[in-house]
Amino acid sequence: MSEHSPTHLSVRNLEVVYNDVALVLRGVTLEVPRGGIATLLGANGAGKTTLLRAITGLLRIHRGAITKGEVLLGDESLVGLEPAQIVRRGLSQVMEGRRIFAELTVDENLRAGAYTKRDRDEIKRNHERVMELFPVLADRRRSVAGYLSGGEQQMLAMGRALMQSPDLLLLDEPSLGLAPRLVENIRDLIVDINRAGTSVLLVEQNAAMALSISTVGYVMETGRIVRDGPAAELREDKDIREFYLGTGGDERKSFRDVKSYRRRKRWSA
């Protein structure tokens, strides 16, 4: 990162093992610039969710462990901290699949998101901010969350995370399963959240959406970072355009299905 973009989150040479046997992350290094948006691209099974679990302290729940490397929030190590301790340090996550409390109302979900907060004035301010960012939630605040549309549930999950006043927001596949129009809405909301001062680590398979709003980007494959750079540079990269943006031919291929030794050798150099 440049000297004008201090690092908010730093992952250095991280290795993660599940069940003391399966090595899933293999020396992963990435940075989220303070006040910026970093995107992590990769196919299913690349290790993206495992990386988020390592950052947020959720690995142990899944019988995983960090065996090497560092996770730093600013200058403070997060390795070994409990998830609630990490949240209190200003980091919130929106997990893949929304994970809302379907039987609770919109307002009850939002109040649950503020569980580490004790300042009632701060909770009220955060609630007002969420209602301003997500007008549809304001209109449906007493509705049972399970009856919301997929897009509305994603907005609720994001709003619930913002109730913690996070300095850094981790988003795991926020566009998954949404119609193109709703993907545009989510993209615009991420930009608004970032402009208000929250750094973002965006984990996505929708490369076009993610790279259009990011500062920097990383590509993960089989537990390794195989490509990184400024987002604008990655958008112009021939391989990424072909295998993520579908501009390399008539038949769109997934990155995972392409087995090109030349490409892998060049990216891993």
Side-chain angles (χ1 to χ4, degrees), residues 3 14 27 49 53 57 63 109 117 146 173 176 198 206 213 223:
E3 60 183 359
L14 195 69
T49 296
R53 289 172 181 169
R63 301 184 69 181
N109 268 271
K117 297 296 179 184
E173 304 283 5
L176 185 66
T198 302
N206 187 332
I213 61 175

Side-chain angles (χ1 to χ4, degrees), residues 123-155:
I123 294 172
K124 181 180 178 181
R125 288 193 303 270
N126 290 346
H127 187 274
E128 291 172 350
R129 179 193 177 200
V130 169
M131 293 296 103
E132 182 178 347
L133 273 171
F134 307 97
V136 66
L137 299 184
D139 294 337
R140 307 200 61 182
R141 55 190 298 175
R142 292 180 176 82
S143 298
V144 175
Y147 291 104
L148 301 180
S149 69
E152 290 167 347
Q153 289 185 9
Q154 184 63 64
M155 293 176 192

Side-chain angles (χ1 to χ4, degrees), residues 35-36 44 50 67 69 99 106 120 145 152 168 191 198 201 204 206 221 236 257:
N44 288 331
T50 293
T67 56
R99 311 287 181 92
V106 167
R120 292 187 177 182
E152 290 167 347
L168 175 63
V191 171
T198 302
L201 175 57
E204 262 292 343
N206 187 332
E221 184 179 82
E236 299 304 317
D257 290 339

Side-chain angles (χ1 to χ4, degrees), residues 9-14 16 28 51-57 66 68-81 86 91:
L9 176 74
S10 179
V11 178
R12 300 176 182 172
N13 199 29
L14 195 69
V16 168
V28 170
L51 175 60
L52 293 186
R53 289 172 181 169
I55 294 169
T56 57
I66 294 172
K68 184 178 179 181
E70 295 181 302
V71 179
L72 300 173
L73 189 64
D75 296 325
E76 182 179 9
S77 175
L78 300 183
V79 177
L81 296 183
I86 294 173
L91 188 153

Side-chain angles (χ1 to χ4, degrees), residues 15-240:
E15 292 188 356
V16 168
V17 170
Y18 282 121
N19 298 314
D20 297 321
V21 176
L23 181 62
V24 178
L25 297 187
R26 307 162 185 267
V28 170
T29 294
L30 63 76
E31 295 182 348
V32 179
R34 186 171 295 277
I37 302 176
T39 282
L40 177 63
L41 304 173
N44 288 331
K48 307 186 304 296
T49 296
T50 293
L51 175 60
L52 293 186
R53 289 172 181 169
I55 294 169
T56 57
L58 295 174
L59 268 179
R60 277 169 288 184
I61 297 174
H62 301 275
R63 301 184 69 181
I66 294 172
T67 56
K68 184 178 179 181
E70 295 181 302
V71 179
L72 300 173
L73 189 64
D75 296 325
E76 182 179 9
S77 175
L78 300 183
V79 177
L81 296 183
E82 295 296 326
Q85 294 176 305
I86 294 173
V87 169
R88 291 189 181 97
R89 282 160 174 76
L91 188 153
S92 290
Q93 180 182 4
V94 178
M95 296 183 179
E96 179 184 349
R98 272 80 90 171
R99 311 287 181 92
I100 61 166
F101 299 113
E103 70 281 4
L104 302 182
T105 68
V106 167
D107 260 348
E108 288 168 342
N109 268 271
L110 294 178
R111 287 202 297 272
Y115 75 98
T116 66
K117 297 296 179 184
R118 297 294 178 265
D119 186 331
R120 292 187 177 182
D121 289 338
E122 182 181 5
I123 294 172
K124 181 180 178 181
R125 288 193 303 270
N126 290 346
H127 187 274
E128 291 172 350
R129 179 193 177 200
V130 169
M131 293 296 103
E132 182 178 347
L133 273 171
F134 307 97
V136 66
L137 299 184
D139 294 337
R140 307 200 61 182
R141 55 190 298 175
R142 292 180 176 82
S143 298
V144 175
Y147 291 104
L148 301 180
S149 69
E152 290 167 347
Q153 289 185 9
Q154 184 63 64
M155 293 176 192
L156 177 57
M158 293 170 67
R160 185 177 61 188
L162 292 175
M163 290 294 293
Q164 289 287 339
S165 307
D167 299 317
L168 175 63
L169 183 62
L170 310 185
L171 296 171
D172 192 358
E173 304 283 5
S175 73
L176 185 66
L178 300 183
R181 178 180 59 82
L182 293 175
V183 172
E184 291 181 7
N185 291 344
I186 294 298
R187 177 198 63 198
D188 293 343
L189 287 166
I190 295 170
V191 171
D192 289 342
I193 291 168
N194 176 246
R195 285 176 177 168
T198 302
S199 307
V200 177
L201 175 57
L202 175 59
V203 174
E204 262 292 343
Q205 292 190 56
N206 187 332
M209 182 275 278
L211 293 176
S212 71
I213 61 175
S214 298
T215 312
V216 296
Y218 298 85
V219 179
M220 177 177 279
E221 184 179 82
T222 59
R224 295 184 174 92
I225 300 296
V226 295
R227 182 77 164 87
D228 66 89
E233 179 181 304
L234 296 188
R235 286 199 301 271
E236 299 304 317
D237 182 277
K238 180 180 178 181
D239 289 324
I240 291 177

